Amino acid sequence: MLTNNKLRTIIIALAATTLMACESGPSEAELEAERNRVAAAEAAEAEEARLAREAAEAKAVEVAEAKRLADLRDRAAAELDALKQKNTIYFDFDKSTIKSDFMSVLREHARYLAANPGQSIVIEGHCDSSGTPEYNIALGERRAKAIETFFTNAGVSGSQVSVVSYGEEKLAVQGTSDFAMQQNRRGVVVYQ
């Protein structure tokens, strides 16, 4: 049997345990710690959302810039292709003076070359088959130099332009007809 002292100790322990079990909710310190934890989680979530927005905006800017550069490259390539289609300048018999008919074409080439300083060209001078080979080489060079001078005066860097004369060596049209001779008196702008 239990003694009174033991019984009293058990009853007091049972009462204390019951009181502790009935205590209502967490302490103020625990509540403050939970509020701090929630606030820190919300701040971290907000920061993560801000960083994600900034990354998305940066990516959008990067994509837009890449598209703009691609458009510029495409336009420059299209412009170059168009210029390559009209790259021949014709000269009169025994002349190295540029005809007024070709000034607008040469201005287009000059504008492109000035805007694209990394682009280089070779200007080929050609002649018909009349005259001696030596004379035709010299005349072809004068024709090519006339085009080079036009470009230089239009703002094209001299480092972009080189000149070569083929004289009568590379005829565009074989024969001695007026048409054939006219087609062979030319300067050709060749893009590298």
Side-chain angles (χ1 to χ4, degrees):
M1 268 213 143
L2 291 177
T3 63
N4 278 341
N5 282 340
K6 286 184 184 178
L7 186 58
R8 210 180 284 159
T9 304
I10 291 174
I11 291 175
I12 291 175
L14 183 62
T17 305
T18 304
L19 282 177
M20 284 199 275
C22 290
E23 191 176 296
S24 61
S27 70
E28 188 57 37
E30 292 172 328
L31 290 174
E32 184 63 27
E34 180 62 17
R35 282 192 294 267
N36 288 341
R37 188 194 62 76
V38 168
E42 288 173 350
E45 190 175 302
E47 179 66 10
E48 188 176 307
R50 184 187 68 78
L51 291 174
R53 270 192 318 274
E54 287 178 0
E57 289 169 1
K59 183 68 174 172
V61 167
E62 183 180 319
V63 167
E65 181 64 14
K67 183 180 181 331
R68 187 185 71 79
L69 290 174
D71 289 345
L72 286 174
R73 278 192 302 274
D74 291 347
R75 274 189 261 144
E79 183 180 2
L80 180 58
D81 288 343
L83 289 172
K84 286 179 179 180
Q85 298 302 313
K86 46 186 173 180
N87 66 337
T88 304
I89 309 305
Y90 293 99
F91 292 87
D92 288 329
F93 175 75
D94 200 29
K95 300 286 185 204
S96 59
T97 306
I98 299 170
K99 297 182 192 181
S100 61
D101 301 355
F102 296 101
M103 293 295 186
S104 64
V105 171
L106 288 175
R107 276 192 286 277
E108 288 178 45
H109 284 281
R111 186 175 56 250
Y112 178 83
L113 289 166
N116 296 282
Q119 180 68 62
S120 62
I121 59 168
V122 174
I123 304 170
E124 298 176 348
H126 298 274
C127 300
D128 60 31
S129 58
S130 59
T132 65
E134 296 81 14
Y135 181 81
N136 287 338
I137 288 288
L139 179 57
E141 184 169 347
R142 286 194 306 274
R143 288 175 175 167
K145 291 251 185 223
I147 296 170
E148 177 186 38
T149 300
F150 181 93
F151 286 153
T152 303
N153 291 338
V156 177
S157 170
S159 65
Q160 292 176 265
V161 182
S162 59
V163 171
V164 65
S165 175
Y166 290 108
E168 62 187 80
E169 294 175 24
K170 293 187 174 187
L171 299 175
V173 178
Q174 295 293 325
T176 56
S177 68
D178 284 343
F179 174 78
M181 297 294 222
Q182 288 171 356
Q183 296 300 300
N184 291 322
R185 299 178 201 130
R186 69 197 191 283
V188 181
V189 178
V190 179
Y191 284 83
Q192 300 295 301

